Amino acid sequence: MAETKNFQAEVSRLLDIVAHSLYSDKKVFLRELISNASDACDRRRYAALADSSLSAPDGRYQVTITPDAATRTLVIEDNGIGMSHDELIDNLGTIARSGTAAFVQNLAAESKVGEGKAQASSLIGQFGVGFYSSFMVAEKVVVVSRKAGESQAWAWESDGKGSFTVAEAQREEIGTTITLYLRDGEDDYLLAPRLSHIVKTYADHITLPVILKHDGKEETLNVGSALWTRPKSELTAEQYKEFYRTVGHGFDDPWMTLHWKAEGVLEYTGLLFVPTMKPFDLFDPARKHGVRLYVRRIFVTDDCADLLPPYLRFLKGVVDSEDLPLNISRETLQANPMLSKIRQGLVKRVLSELGKKSAEAPEDYLKFWDVFGAVLKEGLYEDRDQQVTLLGLARFRSTGIDGWTSLEDYVSRMKPGQKHIYTITGDNPDFITRSPQLEGFRAKGVEVLLLTDPVDEFWLPMVGKFKDFEFKSVTRGGADLGEIDGGKDEKKPDEAKASSADSLVALFKVTLADAIKDVRPSIRLTDSAVCLIADEGDMDMHLQKLLRQHNRSTEEAKRILEINPNHPLIQRLVERLSAGGHGPALEDAAWLLLDQARIVEGENLPDPAAFARRLASCLQRGLAA
């Protein structure tokens, strides 16, 4: 008896978008189905290494395409691993990945008009839901599958309009048959020359035969050899691009292609791609890299975490080893010393090629950094062996120039007497460039790096310095601005005013003793009256804010309140105090200035009611004067 189930809500929305909005390149549905069939055959071949009973009877794996003009159907069949009852439901009825709702929302936005349709196709590829592209050309899809090791086959059927059915079926052989009932106007996909052209364009590199059955004949359409084993001189940019799109299930072009063969003590071939576009789930904690591991052209796994470090998870492609044992398991891979050496070789090669790109095509490299730089910086605290290389590849926004800068270029612009590389961290560049902590640095012409990726808070203390220059946050004490020569245009602080503020500093210390760590005159402020800074040994303020947002309990460190003795407001308070004006008004002013500094830092006020009361009282006194 057939079971009827509803699609997951996001799948229903996705199918509606696919069927009615994505008309830019409908023929890619065939590439996606052939790619899925090839993956299924790879998995069966690998499973048969451990259990020979799961192997194809003659050891031959293939994908067959059969058009039928009489019934207006297109059938894609494979003898791969197959799917069970539950796998049909899970794989074709739900998208069991975090970020699904956000993905579909983005897809809907991108697919509305014009160039957005091509972008939407790219999003579909990034999410790995190529099967649903079938509904661009089909009004109904039937999938009959029998999983290796099981005797019962199952049929999945849907018109893509909200529900699907699953029922028992008959199938003699292990594998999957997908039957597409074509929409009106899609008869092109019943023509042998059209199908042949699509396969040769998009699936020539598939490593098993793709056979077209028509007019009583069988025709093998693809070369059927592993593309990565062929010499680079025989391959075209178009072939690389189509292989990238198949292995990565993407619709964009690769930003960089790396194809090489490592020879010597350890032999392996790598064909890796750096995408142009950022996957929507790049920062999903569960996201894995997109590189498949083969052993002597036989697929082993696409889930080998130890093959690449997490900070290179944007890579796609294949690695084919000549030395790993063919029957290696995922558990054995984790402790395999040969895999460790392959990993080292891959990392070294990728970073080396990125370094060449940054030197030879700096503008093009910045496009890569803009998309994947935040991920690459994770390596600064994950991979000590590559810290120096990664620091050379890193690019930063700064107060000194428009665009990106390298650390090497930053150091070349340092001021006489400057001993540190100054940084400020925050949520976005526009906000932190207005921070009062930058005023003194700006007045002296000292450049400050603007760090707005969450990872910046973690690699900075781990790395410590670049060459002989330590990284130093401008939101900490001990900024050493006095030792830096700001040039002839530098305005020197009025030492007399600074001295006259000592009594006000003392009053603020007493008044605010329970809320702050200290009060001190500032040499970093030029325009603002006050600012908050972290003491030299305390946690940076932005890091503490990040940890609070992620419910990571940390002891709340008290901050230092710096006051600007040259500010007119501070001078007026000094005069009031000198004239014997000590009392509630000055105490209110102290608390208001502290709350002002908190607001500028984006902090929540601990007592908004008290702030409002003091502000009203201060305004009342001012209006009455």
Side-chain angles (χ1 to χ4, degrees):
M1 183 175 178
E3 307 169 63
T4 300
K5 295 180 176 290
N6 292 324
F7 284 114
Q8 181 189 27
E10 286 80 5
V11 175
S12 294
R13 181 72 180 120
L14 174 67
L15 286 169
D16 180 65
I17 295 167
V18 168
H20 299 105
S21 301
L22 304 180
Y23 298 110
S24 59
D25 196 10
K26 288 192 279 188
K27 61 181 177 293
V28 298
F29 82 90
L30 190 55
R31 183 193 73 190
E32 292 298 310
L33 295 183
I34 293 172
S35 178
N36 290 345
S38 174
D39 289 346
C41 290
D42 282 343
R43 294 177 191 281
R44 183 178 179 185
R45 183 190 284 120
Y46 181 63
L49 294 174
D51 183 353
S52 59
S53 67
L54 300 181
S55 177
D58 55 359
R60 177 181 170 85
Y61 298 89
Q62 65 185 40
V63 180
T64 304
I65 301 172
T66 307
D68 187 336
T71 60
R72 299 191 69 254
T73 59
L74 181 65
V75 178
I76 296 91
E77 185 172 16
D78 67 71
N79 58 342
I81 193 74
M83 287 180 279
S84 65
H85 169 275
D86 291 346
E87 286 172 336
L88 279 171
I89 295 172
D90 292 341
N91 294 343
L92 306 185
T94 63
I95 306 177
R97 294 178 62 178
S98 63
T100 299
F103 159 72
V104 174
Q105 184 178 0
N106 288 341
L107 183 61
E110 295 290 357
S111 65
K112 287 180 180 176
V113 291
E115 295 179 0
K117 292 175 181 177
Q119 181 81 353
S121 294
S122 178
L123 283 170
I124 283 186
Q126 290 173 17
F127 203 73
V129 289
F131 167 78
Y132 300 127
S133 62
S134 304
F135 288 97
M136 290 194 290
V137 299
E139 61 185 10
K140 182 174 73 171
V141 178
V142 177
V143 180
V144 177
S145 191
R146 177 182 161 195
K147 186 176 176 65
E150 297 186 3
S151 58
Q152 180 63 59
W154 297 91
W156 179 99
E157 181 177 329
S158 178
D159 59 6
K161 294 180 180 178
S163 65
F164 60 91
T165 61
V166 179
E168 292 184 358
Q170 297 296 319
R171 181 182 170 92
E172 291 186 9
E173 300 294 333
I174 293 167
T176 300
T177 301
I178 300 175
T179 303
L180 308 182
Y181 292 81
L182 297 178
R183 297 178 183 274
D184 290 340
E186 305 297 348
D187 290 23
D188 274 4
Y189 300 107
L190 298 172
L191 302 176
R194 172 70 164 158
L195 295 170
S196 177
H197 175 72
I198 294 172
V199 172
K200 289 181 183 298
T201 300
Y202 290 113
D204 194 46
H205 50 269
I206 295 292
T207 57
L208 46 83
V210 179
I211 298 170
L212 177 64
K213 290 185 177 182
H214 66 102
D215 299 331
K217 300 181 297 182
E218 291 190 3
E219 177 187 357
T220 301
L221 301 179
N222 62 324
V223 173
S225 64
L227 181 135
W228 61 89
T229 64
R230 293 153 65 180
K232 293 168 63 174
S233 59
E234 296 180 5
L235 300 173
T236 66
E238 190 66 23
Q239 287 174 307
Y240 278 128
K241 181 173 72 175
E242 292 309 328
F243 182 76
Y244 159 76
R245 289 179 169 180
T246 298
V247 76
H249 294 284
F251 289 73
D252 61 334
D253 294 341
W255 176 78
M256 185 168 71
T257 300
L258 290 75
H259 187 190
W260 80 102
K261 184 173 183 179
E263 297 177 318
V265 178
L266 201 64
E267 290 191 13
Y268 62 89
T269 300
L271 177 51
L272 303 181
F273 302 93
V274 177
T276 298
M277 296 179 60
K278 178 191 296 184
F280 87 99
D281 58 346
L282 184 62
F283 294 100
D284 185 338
R287 180 177 172 80
K288 303 163 186 174
H289 62 73
V291 178
R292 302 178 181 185
L293 178 63
Y294 286 74
V295 174
R296 295 188 289 282
R297 270 65 66 200
I298 294 180
F299 172 78
V300 173
T301 180
D302 58 1
D303 187 20
C304 180
D306 291 338
L307 186 60
L308 283 167
Y311 67 89
L312 293 179
R313 61 183 175 273
F314 52 82
L315 290 172
K316 300 179 184 295
V318 299
V319 172
D320 190 349
S321 169
E322 296 293 329
D323 301 293
L324 287 169
L326 192 56
N327 61 348
I328 195 164
S329 66
R330 292 180 185 176
E331 293 74 20
T332 310
L333 276 171
Q334 294 177 2
N336 190 283
M338 285 187 287
L339 185 68
S340 178
K341 291 185 182 298
I342 292 175
R343 173 187 171 117
Q344 292 172 13
L346 295 176
V347 171
K348 186 176 179 180
R349 182 69 181 226
V350 170
L351 297 186
S352 173
E353 293 299 322
L354 288 174
K356 291 178 184 176
K357 194 81 165 180
S358 68
E360 297 168 0
E363 292 302 317
D364 194 25
Y365 178 75
L366 291 181
K367 295 177 184 177
F368 158 79
W369 185 262
D370 205 28
V371 176
F372 296 114
V375 180
L376 204 64
K377 281 191 289 186
E378 292 175 12
L380 289 169
Y381 73 87
E382 291 177 356
D383 193 345
R384 287 182 176 273
D385 292 338
Q386 298 296 336
Q387 276 182 356
V388 173
T389 302
L390 289 168
L391 282 173
L393 293 172
R395 298 293 183 267
F396 304 92
R397 302 287 184 186
S398 115
T399 59
I401 63 168
D402 292 330
W404 297 98
T405 184
S406 67
L407 290 174
E408 195 72 53
D409 289 342
Y410 174 97
V411 168
S412 71
R413 297 190 295 267
M414 286 172 59
K415 291 290 184 180
Q418 184 177 343
K419 299 177 181 178
H420 299 96
I421 296 173
Y422 290 104
T423 66
I424 183 169
T425 55
D427 295 326
N428 67 74
D430 292 336
F431 179 80
I432 58 179
T433 50
R434 296 192 294 269
S435 172
Q437 285 102 338
L438 290 175
E439 293 173 359
F441 294 87
R442 190 175 285 115
K444 283 181 174 282
V446 176
E447 190 171 345
V448 179
L449 299 180
L450 309 173
L451 307 181
T452 55
D453 294 315
V455 67
D456 292 322
E457 292 284 8
F458 301 96
W459 70 259
L460 276 169
M462 180 71 73
V463 173
K465 65 180 182 179
F466 173 71
K467 294 188 172 179
D468 296 326
F469 302 100
E470 291 184 0
F471 293 101
K472 195 173 191 67
S473 172
V474 301
T475 63
R476 290 183 181 275
D480 300 331
L481 268 174
E483 300 178 9
I484 300 174
D485 182 3
K488 61 181 180 179
D489 296 329
E490 178 187 353
K491 293 182 179 180
K492 303 293 183 182
D494 190 327
E495 295 184 5
K497 288 183 178 179
S499 178
S500 68
D502 288 347
S503 56
L504 185 69
V505 169
L507 173 65
F508 278 22
K509 282 184 180 181
V510 173
T511 304
L512 306 174
D514 294 334
I516 58 172
K517 192 170 189 176
D518 195 11
V519 182
R520 64 178 63 155
S522 177
I523 62 172
R524 79 184 74 217
L525 294 175
T526 60
D527 301 318
S528 301
V530 292
C531 73
L532 286 171
I533 64 168
D535 203 0
E536 191 68 13
D538 290 342
M539 183 183 294
D540 189 82
M541 292 187 291
H542 183 247
L543 175 58
Q544 191 165 57
K545 182 180 176 182
L546 278 177
L547 294 176
R548 281 203 307 268
Q549 289 173 347
H550 290 82
N551 298 318
R552 297 285 296 274
S553 58
T554 60
E555 186 177 347
E556 196 74 21
K558 291 183 178 180
R559 302 307 180 191
I560 296 170
L561 180 69
E562 286 196 352
I563 66 172
N564 179 5
N566 298 287
H567 194 277
L569 174 58
I570 300 300
Q571 281 296 302
R572 186 73 185 92
L573 293 175
V574 169
E575 291 170 6
R576 176 72 68 88
L577 181 61
S578 299
H582 180 277
L586 281 178
E587 291 179 1
D588 282 350
W591 283 105
L592 284 171
L593 285 170
L594 174 59
D595 283 343
Q596 174 188 314
R598 287 168 170 159
I599 291 170
V600 170
E601 288 301 318
E603 296 285 339
N604 293 323
L605 298 182
D607 192 346
F611 169 75
R613 186 173 61 252
R614 293 187 185 106
L615 181 61
S617 177
C618 182
L619 289 171
Q620 184 179 356
R621 285 193 295 266
L623 292 172

